[in-house]
Amino acid sequence: MADDFKHPGPAPAPPANAPHIRLRRFRVDVGTIICAVALLQSLLLVAFGYWGAEKLVSKVGESAHKVNHDRVEDNILAFLSKTEGLVRAIAHTPDLHPAGHDGEQTAELLWAALEQTSELDSIGVGSDDGHFLMAMRHPVSVVRQVLREGRTTTETWEYKSPPDSDGDEDPRRRYETTRIEAFRSEDDPVHQDWFTQAEKAQRAVWTAPFVLPSMKELGVSHARPSRRQDEEGATQTLVAVASVSLGHLSNLVRLFGGTGHGHSALLSADHHVIARSDQPHSVRVLENPDDGVLGALHAHMLANGSRGWTEDMAFGLVHEGQHYKVQTSRIAATDWHLVSWEPEEALLGALHRNVLWSLLLVLAFLAIALFISLRLSKLVTAPIENLSRTARRIGRLELDDLPRESSRVLEIQHLNQALDDSARSLRAFRKFVPVDMIRQLIAEGHALEPNGSPRRVTAMFTDVEGFTAIAESMPADVLMRQLTDYFNLATRVFARHGGVIDKFMGDGIMVLWGAPSDLPDAEHRACVASLELHAEMTELNRRWQAEGLQPFRTRIGMHTGVVIAGVLGSSDRLSYTALGDVINAASRIEGTNKQLGTRTLMSETTFEGLGGRLATRRIEEQVELRGRQTRMVLYELLDPA
């Protein structure tokens, strides 16, 4: 061994007992991230899908409701248009007149027109000279004629036989009179509302609802004026008129109720109900829409002012906790208003339930897909987590019995192979470095760069007595086998008692107690390790001698004191070691064993730390150590036996 043992100076290091603070941040695994992103996207899609489906259902409901409303409106408009067309045709007849020779032809025309139009209750024509001719269906089939001469008015009723339902009889019999009645009358058509309104407006008009005298129920009339000249060249005004009971309109309005769960009502220009489908009977008196759903939607229309009565509207209404779809439209010819309402539950309930069930079904499938995704993600994340634990073990240089992670995922298999290659390389590398020391440095957070700090240690040097002669007397391979067995044994003993091997030097070993980590009672631990090494070497030497090999006799020197310990070396190659007078003194104490014929020597400082717990012998004379100016008091560690 070299006479002087020196080490490069390390840089300062943080205290060994300094707390190691690691900031903990919120972390999630890859599987959770993937599932969370998939869940968020799916929920957004489901939410937008549900919102879109509800909007579509609402649109479908509005469209279906409007279709029913438009059907009723179309029937009313067709009815009104048919009446208007018939009155127009009569008003434009060239020979139209309620009296005289033309009166007979006009009567036949009116009766034929009434027979062909079952919706009409009466149809007639009046002149501004007080004459009036009308064909009526109710209460009996009759042609009524009013003739005014001066202040005298004569009224004639020609009763007609009901026509054959098949209409195949002789056309002349269809106008056959069964009896005639004539009497004085006060009736004057010039003063009737329909006549005065048409004459004043000089256009076709619809009258306000009134009570039909012949039927004792509400009806309306449509009148159209016709100006023409008589035989004497004077201008005369004729007015053709047709009347219809509101019962016919009620039947048309009930068409809505017959196609669904909704109802319709017809409101006059002065806001009276003239037909409705939510009651079984026809309207016989003008009434205000003040109750029920009709009253609520009428109030809503009034709240919208003129817009509610001049524009078509569609809106929702809540009445007594139930939601309704409402549609209104204005009948331009009569200034009436058709209103329709239908419960949303009846209209859209089934669709809403289907959408809800679809939503629940989608959520159930989403839950199943999420469960499957979690399970599949575990197939990826679990191997990665296992590999991360393996990587942490490799980082701690725990390289024995590392588990293998087999996976069908190609990337995981590549990572597993890479970690296995790394572990194999480190297993080979750790034979060249003090693994225990590196673990302690990493555990305490020491920076792996040149540094050093003062530390109290117990340093030990070992040497094989007469190793040069032993090496010359045996083959190299045998010598290497013995050295390997010897070093393995010494390493185990020192590790059991907290010693850290700094380096191997030929047949010698440098061991530190108290570096890189503080070690209480280092002197006693070092002495006990020395005794165990001698005891186990005795057994090993016995086996070697049985094989014909030469025994090894180990000599040990120990000294305690403050050294500079740390990571030393160049930028590309470092080593943890210690330097100082304590290290040199320990090396010299080990060499003094040869001079004194002893096996284990320690300094007085180490002896004081031992505290008399082990048997020792004081060397009487102070010993002069080679290479040192001062003498030292040494103690021999004795075998307990």
Side-chain angles (χ1 to χ4, degrees):
M1 269 187 344
D3 293 337
D4 296 318
F5 187 82
K6 297 183 179 180
H7 301 271
N17 57 356
H20 183 55
I21 300 175
R22 179 176 297 173
L23 295 178
R24 301 187 63 85
R25 295 183 176 89
F26 176 74
R27 295 180 176 89
V28 293
D29 58 85
V30 175
T32 302
I33 294 175
I34 294 175
C35 292
V37 171
L39 179 62
L40 179 61
Q41 290 178 340
S42 301
L43 289 179
L44 287 176
L45 290 175
V46 170
F48 280 117
Y50 180 73
W51 176 80
E54 285 294 321
K55 294 290 287 184
L56 180 61
V57 167
S58 179
K59 288 294 184 183
V60 168
E62 292 176 1
S63 299
H65 179 70
K66 192 173 188 308
V67 166
N68 292 334
H69 175 87
D70 291 345
R71 183 184 298 113
V72 178
E73 183 180 9
D74 290 343
N75 280 277
I76 293 175
L77 291 175
F79 172 77
L80 297 178
S81 178
K82 185 176 181 180
T83 303
E84 291 172 353
L86 181 61
V87 172
R88 184 187 306 109
I90 292 174
H92 292 168
T93 301
D95 297 329
L96 183 70
H97 201 277
H101 176 71
D102 292 337
E104 296 180 2
Q105 296 180 353
T106 301
E108 293 180 0
L109 173 65
L110 295 179
W111 181 251
L114 185 65
E115 280 190 325
Q116 298 300 319
T117 312
S118 60
E119 297 88 352
L120 297 181
D121 295 296
S122 66
I123 186 169
V125 60
S127 62
D128 56 3
D129 56 5
H131 301 311
F132 180 54
L133 183 64
M134 174 180 286
M136 296 191 305
R137 193 188 309 277
H138 298 288
V140 293
S141 299
V142 66
V143 173
R144 175 176 171 245
Q145 187 176 38
V146 177
L147 298 176
R148 189 175 181 82
E149 297 291 341
R151 296 183 178 180
T152 303
T153 301
T154 303
E155 187 168 339
T156 303
W157 285 42
E158 294 185 11
Y159 292 92
K160 302 296 182 180
S161 60
D164 187 1
S165 59
D166 293 335
D168 293 334
E169 76 276 10
D170 188 344
R172 288 174 296 180
R173 293 189 58 190
R174 294 170 63 87
Y175 188 68
E176 184 177 0
T177 301
T178 58
R179 63 189 177 91
I180 299 176
E181 291 183 2
F183 51 87
R184 296 287 183 181
S185 174
E186 300 293 334
D187 193 7
D188 186 355
V190 177
H191 296 95
Q192 297 288 336
D193 288 341
W194 54 268
F195 192 97
T196 57
Q197 291 178 18
E199 186 179 32
K200 182 179 180 181
Q202 289 299 307
R203 61 178 178 80
V205 296
W206 282 91
T207 66
F210 63 95
V211 178
L212 293 172
S214 60
M215 302 177 61
K216 303 303 181 183
E217 68 175 81
L218 291 176
V220 291
S221 296
H222 178 66
R224 175 179 286 273
S226 176
R227 298 179 64 84
R228 57 189 67 195
Q229 292 182 345
D230 58 13
E231 295 177 354
E232 298 177 358
T235 302
Q236 187 180 31
T237 300
L238 299 177
V239 177
V241 63
S243 299
V244 58
S245 71
L246 295 184
H248 291 295
L249 292 176
S250 296
N251 293 332
L252 294 176
V253 169
R254 288 192 185 96
L255 288 175
F256 192 101
T259 58
H261 301 275
H263 293 283
S264 292
L266 202 57
L267 304 180
S268 64
D270 56 357
H271 302 190
H272 288 103
V273 180
I274 58 179
R276 62 194 304 173
S277 66
D278 58 338
Q279 294 182 0
H281 55 79
S282 300
V283 177
R284 296 187 179 276
V285 294
L286 294 177
E287 57 185 16
N288 294 319
D290 296 331
D291 59 342
V293 182
L294 182 58
L297 65 90
H298 178 254
H300 185 278
M301 294 171 66
L302 290 176
N304 280 272
S306 61
R307 178 174 177 268
W309 292 94
T310 58
E311 300 179 13
D312 295 352
M313 297 177 61
F315 55 90
L317 181 70
V318 179
H319 179 69
E320 295 182 351
Q322 191 168 8
H323 293 261
Y324 293 88
K325 292 284 187 183
V326 181
Q327 182 75 39
T328 71
S329 59
R330 178 174 172 268
I331 309 298
T334 59
D335 207 22
W336 297 339
H337 283 82
L338 176 65
V339 294
S340 304
W341 65 94
E342 191 165 4
E344 284 193 18
E345 175 61 27
L347 182 65
L348 303 174
L351 287 175
H352 280 302
R353 285 189 290 273
N354 289 336
V355 170
L356 183 59
W357 276 111
S358 299
L359 174 64
L360 295 177
L361 187 62
V362 169
L363 290 177
F365 278 118
L366 179 59
I368 295 174
L370 182 62
F371 174 76
I372 295 175
S373 299
L374 286 173
R375 295 301 299 269
L376 290 177
S377 66
K378 287 297 181 183
L379 296 179
V380 177
T381 58
I384 292 178
E385 184 63 28
N386 293 336
L387 290 175
S388 68
R389 285 193 288 268
T390 300
R392 283 192 290 271
R393 288 186 59 184
I394 293 175
R396 295 192 299 268
L397 298 179
E398 298 172 3
L399 306 175
D400 297 324
D401 300 325
L402 293 177
R404 295 294 301 272
E405 188 63 41
S406 179
S407 174
R408 294 184 180 274
V409 180
L410 185 60
E411 289 77 4
I412 295 178
Q413 189 63 29
H414 288 169
L415 179 59
N416 179 61
Q417 186 61 45
L419 289 176
D420 186 62
D421 293 342
S422 299
R424 188 182 304 111
S425 300
L426 286 175
R427 274 195 292 268
F429 175 74
R430 71 176 178 179
K431 297 182 181 297
F432 298 92
V433 297
V435 175
D436 294 337
M437 184 179 295
I438 293 177
R439 287 174 181 167
Q440 292 186 32
L441 290 172
I442 294 175
E444 295 187 6
H446 288 281
L448 297 181
E449 58 185 16
N451 64 83
S453 62
R455 187 177 294 276
R456 180 178 174 82
V457 301
T458 295
M460 173 190 290
F461 280 83
T462 70
D463 187 22
V464 177
E465 181 181 341
F467 182 76
T468 302
I470 294 173
E472 293 176 350
S473 64
M474 66 175 59
D477 57 337
V478 177
L479 178 63
M480 289 302 299
R481 181 172 68 84
Q482 283 191 264
L483 272 177
T484 301
D485 293 343
Y486 167 64
F487 286 149
N488 287 339
L489 185 148
T491 300
R492 290 193 300 269
V493 171
F494 297 148
R496 275 200 304 269
H497 297 282
V500 176
I501 296 177
D502 183 280
K503 59 177 62 69
F504 295 97
M505 302 166 294
D507 59 314
I509 307 173
M510 174 182 171
V511 190
L512 300 176
W513 274 266
S517 300
D518 290 338
L519 187 66
D521 205 12
E523 297 88 344
H524 181 260
R525 290 172 178 263
C527 292
V528 172
S530 301
L531 295 175
E532 286 190 12
L533 177 60
H534 290 312
E536 294 192 18
M537 281 303 300
T538 300
E539 179 61 29
L540 181 58
N541 286 331
R542 187 178 298 115
R543 292 203 306 270
W544 281 348
Q545 288 175 340
E547 297 176 9
L549 301 177
Q550 297 190 37
F552 284 1
R553 186 172 182 271
T554 304
R555 296 183 299 204
I556 298 174
M558 292 177 286
H559 184 35
T560 302
V562 177
V563 300
I564 300 298
V567 178
L568 302 177
S570 64
S571 58
D572 57 354
R573 183 167 182 176
L574 300 173
S575 173
Y576 187 89
T577 187
L579 58 85
D581 184 63
V582 173
I583 303 300
N584 292 328
S587 177
R588 298 297 183 263
I589 292 172
E590 183 277 322
T592 307
N593 281 298
K594 181 178 180 181
Q595 174 185 343
L596 300 178
T598 55
R599 288 197 307 173
T600 305
L601 290 175
M602 68 183 76
S603 66
E604 188 173 16
T605 307
T606 304
F607 169 78
E608 291 173 353
L610 187 59
R613 286 172 286 179
L614 296 174
T616 59
R617 179 178 67 87
R618 177 186 173 94
I619 305 300
E620 294 301 332
E621 297 181 359
Q622 291 187 356
V623 179
E624 181 181 352
L625 301 181
R626 183 162 55 90
R628 294 178 62 86
Q629 300 295 326
T630 59
R631 293 175 175 268
M632 293 186 66
V633 176
L634 300 181
Y635 289 81
E636 180 185 9
L637 181 63
L638 302 178
D639 191 331

